[in-house]
Amino acid sequence: MAGTRIEENPKEIPLKVLFTRELDSLNEIGIVDIGNFSPQADGTDLECGEMPRADLPGEPMTAFEEVWQELLFKEGPEGAKKGISWILESDDAPLAVGEQKEVTVTKVFLGRIWGTYLALQQTQTHSGQKDQAGAWSLKRSGGEVSARREEWGSGWEEKYVIGPDAGDVPSIKDGFDGEGIGAWRIPGEKVVIKGKSFIVRVFEEIH
């Protein structure tokens, strides 16, 4: 799972994008991948960048290339050629700078693009540490990632449910009170799902 940030002017080519791993079953949480995106003649985008190779001693930075293709959105309950999209992040109390203790966090991301819903969950351990020079850092580690994907047909239907805690991952079939209304439409605001607080990161509606 990656949090994405455009690092440079979005109108410039190539477009520089940073991907930060907030969930990762390989325990590479917090590692940043940097990619430069350039449009290709066939309509795809070529990403060129580098990332650490955790499987090699010293985790050396290694070049990579990926080809991205834009796909049509799947029709959702709003009907043809329209729909809502959003991303929610679990509202977890962060450790304060210099706070040297260990806490367990259930990190969850929920996202919907029209008729496609994806949920990711990982139990993580967060611990604050200081080095010999007194510099503070946050160490994060986690277990296996659980996930759920559902798509709209005659109703919301399960496509994939994987991971040790998949049964606890929120399903959109449970009904999300107030979805798309009020606070749901405002990035930075909070909504409650199954008794858990989530921060709205992105919301979009296309009519």
Side-chain angles (χ1 to χ4, degrees):
M1 179 65 190
T4 308
R5 183 175 79 249
I6 296 174
E7 182 72 3
E8 297 178 346
N9 189 329
K11 295 182 180 180
E12 291 183 358
I13 302 297
L15 177 67
K16 184 178 181 181
V17 179
L18 274 62
F19 297 92
T20 59
R21 306 182 194 181
E22 300 301 325
L23 295 176
D24 196 300
S25 59
L26 299 177
N27 268 327
E28 297 175 1
I29 302 168
I31 288 179
V32 178
D33 299 336
I34 301 173
N36 294 296
F37 284 75
S38 300
Q40 304 298 295
D42 62 358
T44 62
D45 287 286
L46 175 64
E47 179 193 1
C48 298
E50 59 178 16
M51 61 189 294
R53 283 284 303 273
D55 59 321
L56 296 178
E59 301 187 1
M61 297 299 291
T62 306
F64 70 87
E65 290 186 351
E66 292 182 354
V67 176
W68 293 65
Q69 180 179 1
E70 185 175 346
L71 302 176
L72 296 176
F73 294 165
K74 183 176 178 60
E75 183 177 313
E78 291 77 26
K81 298 182 179 180
K82 59 183 178 180
I84 62 173
S85 304
W86 43 258
I87 296 175
L88 309 179
E89 178 184 358
S90 55
D91 180 19
D92 310 300
L95 289 176
V97 174
E99 192 173 7
Q100 294 180 268
K101 68 176 184 179
E102 185 174 281
V103 298
T104 299
V105 171
T106 301
K107 195 66 183 174
V108 186
F109 282 86
L110 310 177
R112 175 187 163 194
I113 300 178
W114 291 24
T116 300
Y117 169 77
L118 181 65
L120 301 167
Q121 178 173 305
Q122 182 182 39
T123 300
Q124 298 181 351
T125 299
H126 295 190
S127 58
Q129 301 177 348
K130 283 188 178 181
D131 60 22
Q132 293 182 346
W136 185 89
S137 64
L138 175 64
K139 181 180 179 181
R140 295 181 289 174
S141 61
E144 189 174 346
V145 174
S146 298
R148 173 183 295 273
R149 177 172 173 171
E150 298 170 353
E151 294 182 352
W152 181 260
S154 56
W156 287 106
E157 303 169 353
E158 291 182 353
K159 292 297 180 182
Y160 306 102
V161 181
I162 60 174
D165 299 316
D168 297 327
V169 177
S171 167
I172 199 170
K173 294 188 297 181
D174 295 336
F176 291 172
D177 292 339
E179 183 195 5
I181 301 173
W184 280 79
R185 308 177 75 89
I186 306 172
E189 289 294 313
K190 297 179 181 180
V191 298
V192 176
I193 294 177
K194 295 182 68 174
K196 185 176 180 68
S197 178
F198 286 83
I199 303 169
V200 179
R201 292 305 185 195
V202 176
F203 181 89
E204 180 184 68
E205 181 174 14
I206 296 178
H207 298 282

